[in-house]
Amino acid sequence: MKLSELKTGESGIILKVLGHGGFRKRIMEMGFIKGKEVEVLLNAPLQDPVKYKIMGYEVSLRHDEADLIEVGPLPAPSQDGADSPQSFEPDSADIPRRQTKNESISIAIVGNPNCGKTSLFNFASGAHARVGNYSGVTVDATEAYANFEGYELLLTDLPGTYSLSCYSPEELYVREHLLEKHPDVIINVLDSSNLERNLYLTTQLVDMHLPMVCALNMYDEFEHRGDALNIDTLQMLFGVPMVPTSFKTGMGVEDLFRTAISVYEGTNAVARHLHIYYGHEVEDGISHIQKYLKQEAGLAARYSTRFLALKLLEHDTHIANIVRHTNAENARAILAARDRASARVMEETKVDSETAIMDSKYGFIHGALMEAEFRQGTKADTYRITHRLDDILSNKYVGFPIFFLLLFVMFQTTFSLGQYPMDWIEAGVAWLGSFVESHMAEGSLRSLIVDGAIAGVGSVIVFLPQILILYFFISFMEDSGYMARAAFIMDKLMHKMGLHGKSFIPLIMGFGCNVPAIMATRTIESRRSRLITMMILPFMSCSARLPIYIMITGTFFAAQYRSWVMISLYAVGILVAVLMSKLFSSLVIKGEDTPFVMELPPYRWPTTKAIGRHTWEKCKEYLKKMGGIILVASIIVWALGYYPHNDALSNQEQQEQSYIGRLGQVVEPLFRPQGFNWKLDVSLLAGVGAKEIVASTIGILYADDDSFGELESLSDIADSESVPEEADKFSRLQSLMAADGITPLASYAYLLFILLYFPCIATIVAIKNESGSWRWALAAALYTTGIAWLVSAGFYHIGSIFF
């Protein structure tokens, strides 16, 4: 029967994995191999995908992918033990040896997603790389230095990967780094609660012949659950020192680095190189291919010939291309030897060489764990709480309502809780402007400082509390594991859009910032899905737009409606992204979809330190932007509005005849269908560099507007008789904008344009870097702006019929 036919709560034994190519390779690397027990845990709210348990961890598959896995009934319990793992000592001539020592050690940190690599990196170096409880947070190599026992350690945090194949970009990135950079030591971080699955990557690292130490991370949870393991036996069987650690508490970190140094120095008693035995037919094939590889001096000097032979037998396209770039005659001979060896394996074992190697790896791992007396305890199971939460958060009836309720709470809290510190910051900005104004002589310098720098930067920095609250919620969802569930429950909808379920994670990250979200698309295996995700990501409303939303919604809409207006903007962005994704997948970017194979880590309560660190990092980034691009842009906008200057003119007349006024009047006809005025038009042009500049531009253009007498700041409203007493700090801005002909209908059209138009320059550059072409980057800039114009103009004209 098919795996898809099993009901929730039922289990079976895997008999065969069908399919071919990347799907079959990935599914087997994740542990779906012959003889393993698999249990159905939960269906997503839309009944697809399905959560399964295999090898002690949980993973999701779609129904059509589960159709390709044949399962049978569970066998009767057996008392027979597993065969001992087979390995042999390698030929010493094939082991790269260190020639010299120095006082600096390069250490590459490698491991599966969610195993704690980045936590180790942060703990050891004091760096603040992003940590998230789902795959794909680290999408590039992050480096930092640390000093330990007289050595300077260069730590490199590599992307999380399940294997070293070329199936996904992060796998290839990690492998190329290890092969080309030749780190002195590898720290392989293992999740102790999922040893069998995590050790698969370890076997591939063993094949690479690089000095290594394993960190058995989350060992405190391992012991709390009552698990048992003879670490001495396991590390002897792998020839790799293994150190119990917990990066949350720092347990074992010093021992880990001492062990890494001893491996580097060659004094560790456990560390030795061994070859995993892959069976007679595969070993004969490896030896046969090695004879040809060793004849190519360039290859033999740079790489382990056994590793190359193994990858060639796995039909790894990247390694085959490396071989093809050698001497043409030798390349043909090497690939011909590969084909002969692969055919021989198929003839003798009745399975392809790639499957034979995978089966042997898992057989070695299983035998090693049995010999090391590994036992899983029952005192406490991390997944028990996870299952109870998933019964609610991923429930088919309440899963989606809870998700949207969380979004509402996030925005409502952003407004209500952020209002108090926002008032304090605004009062401070107003006091600073008044202080400078009262202590400086009137002139261009005072205007530059008060109306340019303070008004421009101040109009944006007041929204810092809301930005931090938003990032607090996003960090909490990422670190807790809920973000992976969001991808799980949304996969069916994403699939109908022509996207992969994993695309949902970058899309959610886009609510924070589009740039790291674009980079996170590297974790999507399909280039087609990656490109589509990149092209629709600008419609995810990043936090840089939040100050504009707060400014306009606070100005034109009553307090009880502001959260709903905000949610409507995010909903419109998502809706447009859905429509464009469908259009791209159907007409523009074609290709095959990839399987939705994604680990669902257990829920973990984020630490206060981690959440605080993430929030503080965003605070620093925001403040840095205030003192950089926002300040410079504010001064430029002020200068364009101040010159040519004529003291005889009123402020309103001065603005209209200034350079920025003339520019606004030139482009005003283009935006007349949206009901905008020239000041809003100019703010849109300024926002091309960074969206925060839109808010600062509005702040500057309306800061010295004299349409309402001597009111000089929003805080003066409390003493003004020009507006009702109950008016809040946004009332003066509303009055000024209304006097310029801006209606609530036009203001919402303006928000729609801000939501959808040209991404910031940094996002355009990120799309170029990740897609490898300016063509896609420029296309994103042009088509998003065109859609923004159409949507905002359409809304304004249709809305004018009813209002």
Side-chain angles (χ1 to χ4, degrees):
M1 65 185 300
K2 307 297 185 185
L3 177 59
S4 59
E5 296 173 12
L6 291 180
K7 307 300 182 184
T8 302
E10 294 181 348
S11 300
I13 292 293
I14 296 175
L15 302 178
K16 185 186 296 185
V17 178
L18 306 175
H20 63 278
F23 164 75
R24 190 164 184 270
K25 182 175 181 63
R26 170 44 55 96
I27 209 77
M28 294 180 70
E29 287 175 346
M30 296 289 285
F32 287 85
I33 59 173
K34 182 179 179 180
K36 293 298 178 183
E37 179 182 345
V38 58
E39 179 186 358
V40 184
L41 296 178
L42 179 73
N43 285 58
L46 298 178
Q47 303 306 299
D48 200 16
V50 180
K51 182 169 71 168
Y52 298 96
K53 182 176 182 179
I54 189 166
M55 284 193 179
Y57 78 106
E58 297 176 0
V59 64
S60 63
L61 286 179
R62 295 182 186 135
H63 280 296
D64 54 356
E65 293 152 3
D67 281 339
L68 298 174
I69 300 175
E70 292 185 0
V71 297
L74 294 177
S78 172
Q79 301 300 318
D80 295 335
D83 293 336
S84 297
Q86 299 186 56
S87 61
F88 59 90
E89 299 295 335
D91 179 1
S92 60
D94 197 38
I95 304 176
R97 295 189 179 275
R98 181 172 311 288
Q99 300 299 319
T100 59
K101 292 183 181 180
N102 53 49
E103 296 304 310
S104 179
I105 305 176
S106 61
I107 297 177
I109 304 175
V110 182
N112 287 187
N114 308 309
C115 68
K117 298 180 301 77
T118 304
S119 296
L120 168 64
F121 178 81
N122 289 339
F123 189 94
S125 66
H128 302 300
R130 189 71 185 87
V131 181
N133 194 11
Y134 61 91
S135 65
V137 176
T138 307
V139 292
D140 207 342
T142 307
E143 294 185 344
Y145 288 91
N147 293 303
F148 187 75
E149 296 190 350
Y151 283 99
E152 181 183 62
L153 308 179
L154 171 58
L155 305 176
T156 304
D157 179 26
L158 293 170
T161 178
Y162 294 106
S163 76
L164 297 177
S165 64
C166 58
Y167 180 72
S168 64
E170 69 266 22
E171 291 175 348
L172 188 56
Y173 184 94
V174 172
R175 190 172 76 187
E176 284 189 318
H177 180 92
L178 299 179
L179 289 176
E180 304 299 330
K181 300 295 184 181
H182 300 290
D184 295 321
V185 181
I186 294 173
I187 292 182
N188 178 206
V189 181
L190 308 175
D191 178 355
S192 297
S193 63
N194 292 320
L195 275 178
E196 188 169 12
R197 200 278 317 282
N198 278 244
L199 284 169
Y200 181 83
L201 176 61
T202 308
T203 62
Q204 294 190 319
L205 293 170
V206 167
D207 290 335
M208 293 186 76
H209 301 190
L210 294 173
M212 180 169 56
V213 56
C214 288
L216 300 177
N217 194 31
M218 306 180 197
Y219 205 77
D220 50 348
E221 295 182 14
F222 179 90
E223 292 180 317
H224 181 65
R225 191 170 62 183
D227 292 357
L229 175 70
N230 188 323
I231 297 176
D232 291 338
T233 300
L234 188 65
Q235 65 183 2
M236 181 273 295
L237 292 171
F238 274 84
V240 178
M242 297 184 176
V243 181
T245 61
S246 173
F247 302 146
K248 285 194 302 184
T249 63
M251 181 194 87
V253 173
E254 290 191 1
D255 288 341
L256 178 65
F257 284 105
R258 287 194 187 96
T259 304
I261 290 173
S262 70
V263 170
Y264 168 78
E265 293 176 339
T267 60
N268 190 279
V270 174
R272 75 189 197 284
H273 186 67
L274 54 81
H275 287 163
I276 296 170
Y277 184 70
Y278 292 107
H280 174 70
E281 293 79 11
V282 174
E283 291 294 340
D284 280 353
I286 292 172
S287 300
H288 182 61
I289 298 170
Q290 278 185 291
K291 291 178 183 178
Y292 293 91
L293 288 170
K294 289 178 179 178
Q295 294 173 13
E296 185 58 48
L299 285 176
R302 293 184 63 191
Y303 309 107
S304 159
T305 56
R306 180 176 173 85
F307 176 73
L308 293 181
L310 275 166
K311 286 300 170 186
L312 287 172
L313 278 174
E314 292 177 348
H315 294 273
D316 188 293
T317 55
H318 181 254
I319 295 299
N321 287 334
I322 290 177
V323 170
R324 290 190 183 98
H325 283 88
T326 62
N327 179 282
E329 184 176 345
N330 283 355
R332 284 193 293 270
I334 292 169
L335 296 176
R338 185 272 312 271
D339 293 339
R340 288 193 298 272
S342 184
R344 179 68 176 170
V345 172
M346 172 64 80
E347 180 183 345
E348 294 294 330
T349 65
K350 308 305 179 187
V351 296
D352 60 84
S353 54
E354 183 178 18
T355 302
I357 292 170
M358 285 186 182
D359 287 343
S360 296
K361 284 184 182 294
Y362 275 117
F364 177 83
I365 294 167
H366 184 69
L369 289 173
M370 291 294 289
E371 193 157 328
E373 300 174 337
F374 171 71
R375 296 288 183 275
Q376 194 170 45
T378 58
K379 291 182 180 177
D381 187 353
T382 306
Y383 281 101
R384 287 182 183 175
I385 297 176
T386 293
H387 293 162
R388 292 171 185 169
L389 288 173
D390 271 342
D391 287 341
I392 301 172
L393 299 178
S394 299
N395 183 275
K396 65 179 179 179
Y397 298 113
V398 300
F400 282 110
I402 289 175
F403 176 66
F404 290 111
L405 176 63
L406 289 175
L407 291 181
F408 177 78
V409 170
M410 179 172 71
F411 293 129
Q412 185 63 36
T413 306
T414 297
F415 269 111
S416 57
L417 187 61
Q419 189 66 55
Y420 301 102
M422 179 182 176
D423 291 340
W424 303 333
I425 295 174
E426 186 187 37
V429 170
W431 175 86
L432 179 62
S434 299
F435 177 82
V436 173
E437 195 170 30
S438 62
H439 287 75
M440 289 187 68
E442 185 176 356
S444 59
L445 180 59
R446 188 181 80 172
S447 180
L448 167 64
I449 296 175
V450 176
D451 300 326
I454 295 177
V457 175
S459 63
V460 179
I461 202 171
V462 294
F463 302 109
L464 176 62
Q466 281 92 342
I467 298 293
L468 296 184
I469 293 172
L470 180 67
Y471 269 109
F472 169 83
F473 276 98
I474 292 177
S475 296
F476 185 88
M477 287 193 291
E478 289 175 347
D479 290 2
S480 66
Y482 181 71
M483 200 72 84
R485 268 62 185 189
F488 173 69
I489 66 176
M490 291 293 293
D491 176 67
K492 189 167 185 177
L493 292 178
M494 303 298 289
H495 197 43
K496 289 183 179 297
M497 293 165 54
L499 288 175
H500 192 283
K502 280 188 178 179
S503 297
F504 191 68
I505 293 175
L507 293 177
I508 289 293
M509 290 177 66
F511 290 137
C513 180
N514 286 169
V515 175
I518 294 288
M519 296 173 65
T521 59
R522 294 182 194 176
T523 63
I524 305 169
E525 291 86 356
S526 165
R527 174 170 171 78
R528 169 180 172 273
S529 291
R530 282 201 306 275
L531 283 174
I532 297 174
T533 305
M534 279 188 271
M535 295 302 285
I536 66 172
L537 250 169
F539 297 130
M540 299 298 104
S541 192
C542 66
S543 61
R545 297 176 173 101
L546 191 61
I548 313 166
Y549 297 164
I550 295 173
M551 174 182 283
I552 301 300
T553 56
T555 298
F556 284 96
F557 300 97
Q560 64 266 33
Y561 300 122
R562 291 171 187 171
S563 293
W564 292 109
V565 171
M566 289 277 286
I567 286 181
S568 72
L569 290 171
Y570 283 79
V572 168
I574 294 171
L575 177 61
V576 173
V578 169
L579 296 175
M580 292 310 302
S581 173
K582 195 65 178 174
L583 181 64
F584 276 122
S585 63
S586 301
L587 303 176
V588 183
I589 307 172
K590 301 201 174 178
E592 294 184 2
D593 197 8
T594 54
F596 183 65
V597 186
M598 188 181 75
E599 182 180 356
L600 296 173
Y603 289 104
R604 289 189 171 93
W605 190 262
T607 63
T608 304
K609 180 179 179 181
I611 296 293
R613 184 174 65 233
H614 301 160
T615 306
W616 171 240
E617 287 300 311
K618 294 303 176 184
C619 175
K620 288 199 299 184
E621 290 177 15
Y622 195 74
L623 292 175
K624 184 178 179 180
K625 188 179 285 188
M626 294 304 99
I629 185 172
I630 304 302
L631 177 60
V632 172
S634 298
I635 292 174
I636 292 173
V637 171
W638 167 85
L640 292 174
Y642 190 82
Y643 297 105
H645 191 70
N646 187 342
D647 289 329
L649 300 176
S650 67
N651 288 339
Q652 184 73 14
E653 294 170 333
Q654 166 62 35
Q655 281 190 347
E656 291 177 353
Q657 65 85 42
S658 68
Y659 294 127
I660 201 169
R662 295 171 187 175
L663 174 63
Q665 290 159 26
V666 169
V667 300
E668 189 172 19
L670 184 62
F671 296 102
R672 195 167 289 138
Q674 283 86 353
F676 304 163
N677 64 8
W678 70 266
K679 294 180 182 178
L680 297 187
D681 300 342
V682 168
S683 70
L684 294 174
L685 297 178
V688 168
K691 291 297 175 283
E692 293 95 339
I693 300 176
V694 174
S696 66
T697 301
I698 293 175
I700 292 169
L701 293 178
Y702 282 102
D704 57 356
D705 194 304
D706 58 358
S707 303
F708 288 84
E710 300 298 321
L711 297 177
E712 293 296 331
S713 72
L714 297 181
S715 60
D716 288 336
I717 195 64
D719 301 322
S720 171
E721 298 179 357
S722 304
V723 292
E725 291 183 358
E726 66 273 12
D728 61 18
K729 59 184 172 298
F730 293 111
S731 296
R732 177 178 180 269
L733 181 60
Q734 180 184 9
S735 299
L736 296 176
M737 296 182 75
D740 273 351
I742 304 301
T743 65
L745 190 65
S747 71
Y748 193 82
Y750 178 73
L751 290 176
L752 289 175
F753 199 96
I754 291 293
L755 165 71
L756 301 172
Y757 90 117
F758 191 101
C760 67
I761 293 296
T763 300
I764 294 297
V765 173
I767 293 175
K768 181 267 175 185
N769 291 337
E770 296 304 318
S771 67
S773 171
W774 277 110
R775 179 168 63 98
W776 291 110
L778 294 177
L782 294 174
Y783 102 89
T784 54
T785 304
I787 288 175
W789 194 94
L790 291 172
V791 171
S792 58
F795 172 83
Y796 181 74
H797 283 283
I798 294 174
S800 298
I801 298 174
F802 299 99
F803 301 101

